[in-house]
Structures are given as structure tokens and as C-alpha cells.
Amino acid sequence: MKDTFYLRLSALLMALLLNASTLSAVEKEQGMDEMWGEEKLSIQATHPSLKWFTEDKYAMFIHWGLYSQMAGVWNGQTYYGIGEWIMHMAEIPVQEYMDYAKNFNPDQFDAVGLVKLAKAAGMKTIVITAKHHEGFAMFDSQVSDFTITKATPYDRDLMKELADACQAEGMRLGFYYSQNQDWTEPYGGKYKGERPAGYTPDDFNIYFEQKVIPQVTELLTNYGPIALIWFDTPGGMPKEYSARLVDLVQGLQPDCLINSRIGGGYGDYVSLGDMQIPIVRPKVDAWETVDTTNDSWSYAWYDQNWKSPKAICERLVRVVARGGSYMLNVGPKGDGSLPEQAVESLTKSGEWIRAHGEAIYGADASPFDQGFSWGDITTKGQELYLHVFEWPQAGVLRIADLGAKVVQASLLQDASAVDFTQDGSILELNLGSKVGRDLPLISVVKLILDQPAQVTNPATQIDGLTPVTLLAEMATTEGCKHSDYRWMEKFGEWKHDYFIGRWGSEDAVATWDINVLEAGDYLVSIEYSSENDAAGSEWVLSCGDESITFVTFESGFDSTKSFQPGPPRYRNLSVSLGVLNIPNAGLNQLQVTPRLLKGKGIGLKGIRIEPYR
């Protein structure tokens, strides 16, 4: 991929997202990675409250504000994108947006019912937007008139009602607070109006001292014990402001956790990019993924792409198996009620989660750095939990190199025994046919070992039974580079894609370590993208002395052309290469290298290896 691709992508994306006018040095235009803040914390993850955070695993996120009443519509026009950013997208004048608060009357809000739903969904914590970028306080703040109790017909403190309900039900409570961006405050970050006469970037301190510090103080003193403060988009906010907030939180509620988006390298744990489900275990001590029940964060009338109960459970398991925690968002309507589809998905997925809580709550990461084609693994000491997303066609699962002997195998749902054999390092589980059986959303096989698993061979396992995809994240590279490509889709949802690109020469190579459990023939296909100038490149895929030569084609995206309005994206091609013989079981290396390189070569996303029968 061309270097200019990344520069132009970043510029276009932020032109869509951020207001380029009246930007100070603090608020210079940035990509979302910069807006989210540094993921590498400058301190160790040692806060005592991380014990509950790493054990609970699952939380509810709630995006709710004036934007929820608009539901993606302003003056009769629908604005597709980030619903809570409609003030930006529709370029709504500040006073008009603030006046709209008189339409916000969430008389259908039921704090007790919401907390009970979170409990039924298997969640342990609720985090809600106390103040988003729009600057509107969903609580009774004494330092602003732009609040739920002063600017709307609804004269009750929503956050107080929720705090009381959480305490009654034993649910932890956290608050989202936008500490840098405030579009309706003249001295706030990314203010959407005309700055006061004589304004300088240093005047950000006025907003910080007169609104941020007092409001965060109110949240930490008026609503009982607060489990965490979820800050967002620090952007270029100077580090000293982040440090001031850390001191404030620690002074008022020392048990309260702070996420990494406070900025400045501070925070007790890392919040990954929005909707990011990592394929390989992140190299951080404590982390979370934030995700949504559909594609939008706040309620939008047009977004009906609801995640199924099974999809929610799978995503939760994937996160726990990589050592993280999962926070799933729901966006209430303007009246305070919840979309029926979200309630249904949360309730049904919650039935599975609570029934299989032994394999989720307090569970540790998989002993393997990545998942399997059939599912994933969580652990507790000498117990392994195999979450079977897709029942194997032959009814058999193979796993190798656990470094321990299996004492017992059973299905967690009913404790029924599972037949198994363990020949050397290879464990084979006979699950049988799924026909005629009443199976849960995800079946979990519980293994009891004679000692904790000690995986000495972390290579991706090719089991000889199921197709396996070797993704770009799993490879080591020499003379080429990993790239993390993020873009925003139609309803504001973030997509994350990874590939290997920027091939520097024909000596460049990408290598995957694979642990082949059954030697033989495998059908190989690849997924890649290619710009025009890289079309016609020749490549070699090899494993030992066996190889396949192939030619790549332009895939439908050219970064040298001017972008059209709308979110940019590139197109992947999936191409079958043929049959590759892997003659020897055990540790092997699969490699891809250019034979005739054109341009910067392809963006290689993954390689699929399927038993050839």
C-alpha cells in the first residue's frame, strides 16, 4: 500500500468527524487513535479494584443524551453516522442545540427495570454517559444550566435514580465523562460556536476549572460509591489536566478505577479502540473492549443490525479468552425506553451467560495466544473450558500440547461425560452428532487436568479436521510491515482490519508458525487487497520444500485517486491457490514472499488452510 494512502485516509476521516474551524493548539485535528489516547499506560496495573474488574468480565455501557431524542434526525433530514455526534454532523448551531433540550422528557425511564435487565444479561457493572461531547449533563449539576433538571421538562436527577437502583440490586455503577470535548462550552475543547473575544488556547483552563473539576466532583460525591470513571477522547489535552483528574478521583473515591482514555499515559486499565475484538492477546496487564448491541452507540431509528444472542456470547468469550473484559452498549430512546430487540438479545444471551458463568466470571485467559476455528478457551487453574461456537461436522475436536493429562471431560450444561483419548500430545474429544440434541447457544466442554495447562508450543494448530485461517496478526514479518486499518461504517460503527503490506523488496517474508497435527494435503486460499500499481505481482507460498506460486490482481481500490464523499474502504479478494502438501506433522513454517514485486505489493489479510479430502 502506498504511504500516501494512510495520510489521506486519516485526513479524510477526521474531516468527516471533527469540526476543523476555530481549532486551538490543544484541539488540533487528529485521527481517532490520537483522540482515544495512548493505550500504553505509564503506570503498572496494580490498583486493588482491578480484582473485581478482572473477575466480573462483563458490563453494560449506556449512551444516552439529547441526541437520543433526535434519533439521527435534524430538521427532517436523517444523518447517518455517529448518532451522539449529530450536533457535529448536522452542523447544529450551539444555541439551537441547547434550546432543543425542552423536547427531552424521558418519562418512560425505569432505573429499576434497567438494572434488573443488566443483571438478567449477566452484567456486573453499569457505565452511563453523565456528560458526552454535547456538554449536556444527565444529572443535577450546580455549575451548569444545561442539565436534565434545569433545561428539560423532566425535573428529576436521572443519575440519582440509577445510583439508587444499582445500590439496591448490588450492581456497580460508573460514569462516562467527556473531559476534553464540550461542544456547547465557549472555552471547551471543539466548541462549535464562535469563541469569546480575546480567546487563546490557554483559556481551556477556564472550562476545566469551572466545569470539569466541579462536575466530576459532583459525580464522585453525590451518588454513592462509584466503581469507575470512564473518560473519553483526551486528544491533545495537556498531561497536567489528566494528572489533576487522577488526583481528584483518588482523593474523593480511592476505590474508583480510571480508564486509559483519561490521557497522558494515566489510567488503571486500557480501553482498546471502539468495537475492537483482538485476535491475538494484547500485551497489556488489564484491558477492556467496548462494543454495541447493534452498530450505533446512541439510539438511531435506522439501525436495525442487532447482534444475535449467540453473537453476543461469542464476542464475550473471545474477549475473556484473550484476557480482557467486555462492556456492551445499549442506547435508550429519547423517552428512556429500550429498543425491544436489544432487550431480547440481552435477555437471551444472559440466560446462556448465567448458566455457564463458571466458564466466564473469574476465568483466566486461554493458555493459547489465539482462538481456534471451532471456538475458544477460558481457564481456571486445572480446569479448561472449551467454548464450541461451531459444532464440528465430524463431531470430533483435536487439541495438542496442553502440557498436562486430561482427567475428566464433560459438557458443562448437564455434566454429561465426553469420550476422549490422549495419544502423546494430541487430545481428541468425541462430541458425537448434534442431531436430535438440545444444545445451548454455545456448548462448553469442561476439562479437568492433572495440573494447570503448560503450553510450550504456541504455534497455530492445524488439526486436520477443520479449516483454519492464519490472520496477519499471527505472522512475524521481515522486510514488510503489519498495518492496523480502522474505518467508520454507515452507522458510526468502527471496523478494524489488519494486514501485512509495504513489502520492501523481493527478500521480504511473512512467516506463520503452525503446529500440524495431521500431515497431508491442504487446500489453500488467501485474502488480500491490491492497488492498481501492485497488480500482476508474483508471489510464493511455501511450507518447507513444498510451494505454490500465484499472481495477484487489483482488488478495486486505488489510493492514488481522489476520495469520494463517505467513509473510505478497500476491497479484499479471496482467491483459492490450490493444494499444498504438508508432509510432516509437528512444527512447520508457512511463508509468503514476493517473487516479482510491483509497487508496494499486496495487503495480505489472511491464509485459509482446509483439509483436502
Side-chain angles (χ1 to χ4, degrees):
M1 299 293 167
K2 289 184 177 295
D3 293 343
T4 54
F5 171 83
Y6 303 92
L7 297 174
R8 298 178 67 182
L9 172 61
S10 176
L12 175 69
L13 184 56
M14 294 320 301
L16 292 170
L17 293 181
L18 302 176
N19 184 359
S21 64
T22 64
L23 292 177
S24 72
V26 170
E27 0 171 49
K28 64 182 179 180
E29 200 161 318
Q30 298 166 311
M32 284 308 295
D33 285 351
E34 289 81 13
M35 287 299 297
W36 285 329
E38 176 61 58
E39 286 186 359
K40 184 177 181 181
L41 300 182
S42 59
I43 58 174
Q44 296 295 317
T46 57
H47 196 294
S49 292
L50 285 173
K51 186 176 188 300
W52 69 254
F53 177 82
T54 55
E55 290 180 353
D56 287 1
K57 302 299 183 186
Y58 194 29
M60 174 181 280
F61 213 3
I62 301 174
H63 275 66
W64 194 29
L66 292 188
Y67 43 78
S68 307
Q69 183 71 34
M70 300 172 188
V73 178
W74 180 253
N75 286 341
Q77 180 179 344
T78 295
Y79 290 84
Y80 299 97
I82 316 177
E84 63 275 16
W85 286 60
I86 191 170
M87 181 182 178
H88 164 76
M89 294 188 297
E91 298 181 344
I92 305 171
V94 171
Q95 195 58 52
E96 285 188 40
Y97 192 89
M98 296 179 73
D99 289 345
Y100 187 84
K102 65 180 181 292
N103 299 298
F104 189 54
N105 186 27
D107 56 0
Q108 298 302 305
F109 175 66
D110 178 5
V112 173
L114 179 60
V115 175
K116 288 184 180 295
L117 172 63
K119 289 187 71 173
M123 295 157 164
K124 303 292 187 178
T125 305
I126 291 176
V127 178
I128 187 169
T129 49
K131 179 183 84 77
H132 207 276
H133 308 326
E134 62 178 354
F136 178 71
M138 296 285 281
F139 60 100
D140 185 22
S141 175
Q142 301 307 302
V143 298
S144 173
D145 291 331
F146 194 36
T147 74
I148 182 70
T149 54
K150 299 174 185 175
T152 81
Y154 192 88
D155 60 357
R156 306 202 310 265
D157 188 335
L158 290 167
M159 299 300 99
K160 184 66 169 65
E161 295 179 21
L162 184 60
D164 291 344
C166 284
Q167 291 185 41
E169 292 290 334
M171 178 73 64
R172 304 184 202 277
L173 176 64
F175 290 128
Y176 171 113
Y177 191 88
S178 177
Q179 76 276 27
N180 178 24
Q181 295 195 71
D182 194 313
W183 300 337
T184 52
E185 284 292 336
Y187 299 108
K190 304 293 190 298
Y191 176 58
K192 298 297 184 182
E194 183 177 347
R195 296 288 192 184
Y199 167 82
T200 71
D202 290 341
D203 289 337
F204 177 83
N205 190 65
I206 298 173
Y207 155 72
F208 190 82
E209 294 293 340
Q210 296 184 1
K211 187 171 185 178
V212 176
I213 292 296
Q215 286 195 337
V216 173
T217 299
E218 289 172 334
L219 291 172
L220 291 170
T221 55
N222 297 338
Y223 300 94
I226 304 303
L228 64 89
I229 293 284
W230 211 93
F231 292 105
D232 197 17
T233 63
M237 189 178 74
K239 183 176 181 178
E240 55 265 29
Y241 290 111
S242 301
R244 178 84 183 280
L245 287 171
V246 170
D247 290 342
L248 179 66
V249 174
Q250 291 179 344
L252 293 175
Q253 293 217 30
D255 293 334
C256 181
L257 291 174
I258 301 170
N259 70 324
S260 60
R261 295 194 192 178
I262 192 173
Y266 295 103
D268 300 306
Y269 66 91
V270 170
S271 295
L272 300 186
D274 291 353
M275 307 173 186
Q276 182 179 2
I277 309 291
I279 300 299
V280 178
R281 185 172 182 176
K283 295 179 180 179
V284 293
D285 294 332
W287 59 274
E288 72 176 353
T289 282
V290 292
D291 201 2
T292 64
T293 45
N294 52 350
D295 287 330
S296 305
W297 293 104
S298 66
Y299 175 71
W301 71 267
Y302 48 78
D303 185 1
Q304 301 298 320
N305 191 27
W306 302 99
K307 291 179 176 64
S308 69
K310 185 172 186 288
I312 290 173
C313 294
E314 287 184 5
R315 293 167 83 85
L316 170 63
V317 169
R318 289 290 194 198
V319 170
V320 175
R322 301 285 78 73
S325 297
Y326 189 56
M327 187 155 66
L328 184 64
N329 180 76
V330 62
K333 298 179 181 180
D335 64 6
S337 63
L338 295 177
E340 293 181 6
Q341 297 91 334
V343 173
E344 181 178 353
S345 288
L346 288 174
T347 302
K348 289 185 177 180
S349 59
E351 293 173 357
W352 180 89
I353 293 166
R354 288 182 288 110
H356 296 80
E358 176 184 340
I360 299 294
Y361 304 121
D364 293 322
S366 169
F368 299 92
D369 289 339
Q370 59 219 25
F372 294 79
S373 57
W374 46 263
D376 223 321
I377 299 175
T378 58
T379 66
K380 281 184 179 178
Q382 295 175 213
E383 297 170 346
L384 262 61
Y385 300 93
L386 279 55
H387 301 257
V388 184
F389 299 164
E390 301 298 333
W391 198 269
Q393 187 173 2
V396 177
L397 288 184
R398 282 183 188 153
I399 307 174
D401 295 315
L402 290 176
K405 291 186 179 297
V406 177
V407 176
Q408 181 180 317
S410 61
L411 287 175
L412 189 58
Q413 67 212 44
D414 57 12
S416 59
V418 173
D419 293 334
F420 68 91
T421 59
Q422 194 168 12
D423 184 9
S425 67
I426 298 179
L427 170 68
E428 188 163 290
L429 298 160
N430 185 10
L431 303 181
S433 173
K434 67 181 294 185
V435 176
R437 300 169 68 174
D438 184 18
L439 298 174
L441 292 175
I442 298 171
S443 293
V444 179
V445 180
K446 179 180 178 179
L447 302 181
I448 299 178
L449 310 179
D450 65 345
Q451 63 179 355
Q454 300 177 20
V455 176
T456 57
N457 184 357
T460 304
Q461 296 188 5
I462 310 298
D463 62 14
L465 299 173
T466 58
V468 174
T469 299
L470 305 173
L471 293 172
E473 301 97 304
M474 304 173 183
T476 58
T477 60
E478 183 177 347
C480 48
K481 294 183 179 180
H482 286 99
S483 293
D484 178 357
Y485 176 57
R486 309 185 190 199
W487 71 99
M488 187 170 289
E489 280 287 0
K490 55 191 182 302
F491 298 157
E493 71 274 23
W494 280 95
K495 300 295 184 181
H496 301 261
D497 220 345
Y498 304 83
F499 55 87
I500 298 169
R502 301 181 185 178
W503 303 79
S505 71
E506 291 170 4
D507 294 324
V509 60
T511 302
W512 288 261
D513 291 329
I514 55 176
N515 186 4
V516 180
L517 308 191
E518 182 178 317
D521 291 336
Y522 288 86
L523 183 64
V524 179
S525 59
I526 66 167
E527 186 175 355
Y528 71 91
S529 62
S530 174
E531 297 184 16
N532 289 341
D533 65 355
S537 295
E538 298 178 19
W539 303 80
V540 177
L541 181 148
S542 63
C543 185
D545 295 331
E546 303 293 325
S547 65
I548 298 175
T549 299
F550 59 97
V551 178
T552 55
F553 302 93
E554 184 269 327
S555 63
F557 181 83
D558 185 353
S559 69
T560 63
K561 296 178 181 177
S562 60
F563 285 114
Q564 298 299 315
R569 59 179 62 83
Y570 62 86
R571 183 178 303 155
N572 287 330
L573 295 177
S574 184
V575 179
S576 176
L577 302 184
V579 177
L580 179 72
N581 180 259
I582 303 179
N584 299 312
L587 186 62
N588 287 262
Q589 287 190 329
L590 190 145
Q591 296 185 318
V592 172
T593 189
R595 182 172 180 267
L596 174 62
L597 182 63
K598 295 185 178 181
K600 292 294 184 180
I602 60 175
L604 180 56
K605 178 175 175 58
I607 302 170
R608 177 183 167 96
I609 301 177
E610 181 178 355
Y612 182 68
R613 307 202 191 289

